[in-house]
CSV table of all heavy atoms in Angstrom, one decimal:
chain,number,residue,atom,x,y,z
A,187,LEU,N,-5.8,12.4,-1.7
A,187,LEU,CA,-5.5,11.3,-2.6
A,187,LEU,C,-5.8,10.0,-1.8
A,187,LEU,O,-5.4,10.0,-0.6
A,187,LEU,CB,-4.0,11.3,-2.9
A,187,LEU,CG,-3.5,12.4,-3.9
A,187,LEU,CD1,-2.0,12.2,-4.2
A,187,LEU,CD2,-4.3,12.3,-5.2
A,188,PRO,N,-6.5,9.1,-2.3
A,188,PRO,CA,-6.7,7.9,-1.7
A,188,PRO,C,-5.4,7.2,-1.4
A,188,PRO,O,-4.4,7.4,-2.1
A,188,PRO,CB,-7.5,7.0,-2.7
A,188,PRO,CG,-8.2,8.0,-3.5
A,188,PRO,CD,-7.2,9.1,-3.6
A,189,HIS,N,-5.4,6.3,-0.2
A,189,HIS,CA,-4.1,5.8,0.2
A,189,HIS,C,-4.2,4.3,0.1
A,189,HIS,O,-5.1,3.7,0.8
A,189,HIS,CB,-3.8,6.3,1.6
A,189,HIS,CG,-2.5,5.8,2.2
A,189,HIS,ND1,-1.3,6.0,1.6
A,189,HIS,CD2,-2.2,5.1,3.2
A,189,HIS,CE1,-0.3,5.4,2.2
A,189,HIS,NE2,-0.8,4.8,3.3
A,190,LEU,N,-3.3,3.7,-0.5
A,190,LEU,CA,-3.1,2.2,-0.6
A,190,LEU,C,-2.0,1.7,0.3
A,190,LEU,O,-1.1,2.5,0.5
A,190,LEU,CB,-2.9,1.7,-2.0
A,190,LEU,CG,-3.9,2.4,-3.1
A,190,LEU,CD1,-3.4,1.8,-4.5
A,190,LEU,CD2,-5.3,2.1,-2.8
A,191,ILE,N,-2.1,0.5,0.7
A,191,ILE,CA,-1.0,-0.1,1.5
A,191,ILE,C,-0.6,-1.4,1.0
A,191,ILE,O,-1.4,-2.2,0.8
A,191,ILE,CB,-1.5,-0.2,3.1
A,191,ILE,CG1,-1.8,1.1,3.6
A,191,ILE,CG2,-0.4,-1.0,3.8
A,191,ILE,CD1,-2.2,1.1,5.0
A,192,LEU,N,0.7,-1.5,0.9
A,192,LEU,CA,1.4,-2.8,0.5
A,192,LEU,C,1.7,-3.4,1.9
A,192,LEU,O,2.6,-2.9,2.6
A,192,LEU,CB,2.6,-2.6,-0.3
A,192,LEU,CG,3.5,-3.9,-0.5
A,192,LEU,CD1,2.8,-5.0,-1.1
A,192,LEU,CD2,4.8,-3.5,-1.2
A,193,SER,N,1.1,-4.4,2.3
A,193,SER,CA,1.3,-5.1,3.5
A,193,SER,C,2.0,-6.4,3.3
A,193,SER,O,1.8,-7.1,2.2
A,193,SER,CB,0.0,-5.5,4.3
A,193,SER,OG,-0.8,-6.3,3.5
A,194,HIS,N,2.9,-6.9,4.2
A,194,HIS,CA,3.7,-8.1,4.1
A,194,HIS,C,3.9,-8.6,5.4
A,194,HIS,O,3.8,-8.0,6.5
A,194,HIS,CB,5.0,-7.8,3.3
A,194,HIS,CG,5.9,-7.0,4.0
A,194,HIS,ND1,6.9,-7.4,4.8
A,194,HIS,CD2,6.0,-5.6,3.8
A,194,HIS,CE1,7.7,-6.3,5.2
A,194,HIS,NE2,7.2,-5.3,4.6
A,195,GLY,N,4.3,-9.9,5.4
A,195,GLY,CA,4.6,-10.6,6.7
A,195,GLY,C,5.6,-10.0,7.6
A,195,GLY,O,6.4,-9.1,7.2
A,196,TYR,N,5.8,-10.3,8.8
A,196,TYR,CA,6.7,-9.7,9.8
A,196,TYR,C,7.9,-10.5,9.8
A,196,TYR,O,9.0,-10.1,9.3
A,196,TYR,CB,6.0,-9.7,11.2
A,196,TYR,CG,6.7,-8.7,12.1
A,196,TYR,CD1,6.7,-7.4,12.0
A,196,TYR,CD2,7.4,-9.3,13.2
A,196,TYR,CE1,7.4,-6.6,12.8
A,196,TYR,CE2,8.1,-8.5,14.1
A,196,TYR,CZ,8.1,-7.1,13.9
A,196,TYR,OH,8.8,-6.3,14.8
A,197,GLN,N,8.0,-11.5,10.6
A,197,GLN,CA,9.3,-12.3,10.7
A,197,GLN,C,9.3,-13.2,9.5
A,197,GLN,O,10.5,-13.5,9.1
A,197,GLN,CB,9.3,-13.2,12.0
A,197,GLN,CG,9.3,-12.3,13.2
A,197,GLN,CD,10.6,-11.6,13.6
A,197,GLN,OE1,11.6,-12.1,12.9
A,197,GLN,NE2,10.8,-10.8,14.4
A,198,ASP,N,8.3,-13.8,9.0
A,198,ASP,CA,8.3,-14.7,7.9
A,198,ASP,C,7.6,-14.2,6.7
A,198,ASP,O,6.4,-13.6,7.0
A,198,ASP,CB,7.8,-16.0,8.3
A,198,ASP,CG,8.6,-16.7,9.4
A,198,ASP,OD1,9.7,-16.8,9.3
A,198,ASP,OD2,7.9,-17.1,10.4
A,199,LEU,N,8.0,-14.4,5.5
A,199,LEU,CA,7.3,-13.9,4.3
A,199,LEU,C,6.2,-15.0,3.9
A,199,LEU,O,6.6,-15.9,3.2
A,199,LEU,CB,8.2,-13.6,3.2
A,199,LEU,CG,7.7,-13.1,1.9
A,199,LEU,CD1,6.9,-11.8,2.1
A,199,LEU,CD2,8.7,-12.9,0.8
A,200,SER,N,5.0,-14.9,4.3
A,200,SER,CA,4.0,-15.8,4.1
A,200,SER,C,2.9,-15.1,3.3
A,200,SER,O,2.0,-15.8,2.8
A,200,SER,CB,3.5,-16.4,5.3
A,200,SER,OG,2.9,-15.4,6.2
A,201,PHE,N,2.9,-13.7,3.2
A,201,PHE,CA,1.7,-13.1,2.6
A,201,PHE,C,2.2,-11.8,2.1
A,201,PHE,O,3.1,-11.2,2.6
A,201,PHE,CB,0.5,-12.9,3.4
A,201,PHE,CG,0.7,-12.1,4.6
A,201,PHE,CD1,0.5,-10.7,4.5
A,201,PHE,CD2,1.0,-12.5,5.8
A,201,PHE,CE1,0.6,-9.9,5.6
A,201,PHE,CE2,1.1,-11.7,6.9
A,201,PHE,CZ,1.0,-10.4,6.8
A,202,ALA,N,1.5,-11.2,1.1
A,202,ALA,CA,1.8,-9.8,0.6
A,202,ALA,C,0.5,-9.3,-0.1
A,202,ALA,O,-0.1,-10.2,-1.0
A,202,ALA,CB,3.0,-9.7,-0.3
A,203,HIS,N,-0.1,-8.2,0.3
A,203,HIS,CA,-1.3,-7.7,-0.3
A,203,HIS,C,-1.2,-6.3,-0.6
A,203,HIS,O,-0.4,-5.5,0.1
A,203,HIS,CB,-2.5,-8.0,0.6
A,203,HIS,CG,-2.7,-9.4,1.1
A,203,HIS,ND1,-3.5,-10.2,0.4
A,203,HIS,CD2,-2.2,-10.1,2.1
A,203,HIS,CE1,-3.6,-11.4,1.0
A,203,HIS,NE2,-2.9,-11.4,2.1
A,204,VAL,N,-1.9,-5.8,-1.6
A,204,VAL,CA,-2.2,-4.4,-1.7
A,204,VAL,C,-3.6,-4.1,-1.4
A,204,VAL,O,-4.4,-4.8,-1.9
A,204,VAL,CB,-1.9,-3.8,-3.1
A,204,VAL,CG1,-2.2,-2.4,-3.3
A,204,VAL,CG2,-0.4,-4.1,-3.5
A,205,GLY,N,-3.8,-3.1,-0.4
A,205,GLY,CA,-5.3,-3.0,0.0
A,205,GLY,C,-5.6,-1.5,0.3
A,205,GLY,O,-4.9,-0.7,0.3
A,206,VAL,N,-6.9,-1.3,0.5
A,206,VAL,CA,-7.5,0.0,0.8
A,206,VAL,C,-8.2,-0.2,2.2
A,206,VAL,O,-9.0,-1.1,2.4
A,206,VAL,CB,-8.6,0.3,-0.1
A,206,VAL,CG1,-9.3,1.6,0.2
A,206,VAL,CG2,-8.0,0.4,-1.6
Side-chain angles (χ1 to χ4, degrees):
L187 295 178
H189 183 57
L190 312 181
I191 293 178
L192 167 61
S193 62
H194 62 92
Y196 192 70
Q197 295 283 350
D198 299 309
L199 181 60
S200 58
F201 66 87
H203 302 271
V204 177
V206 177

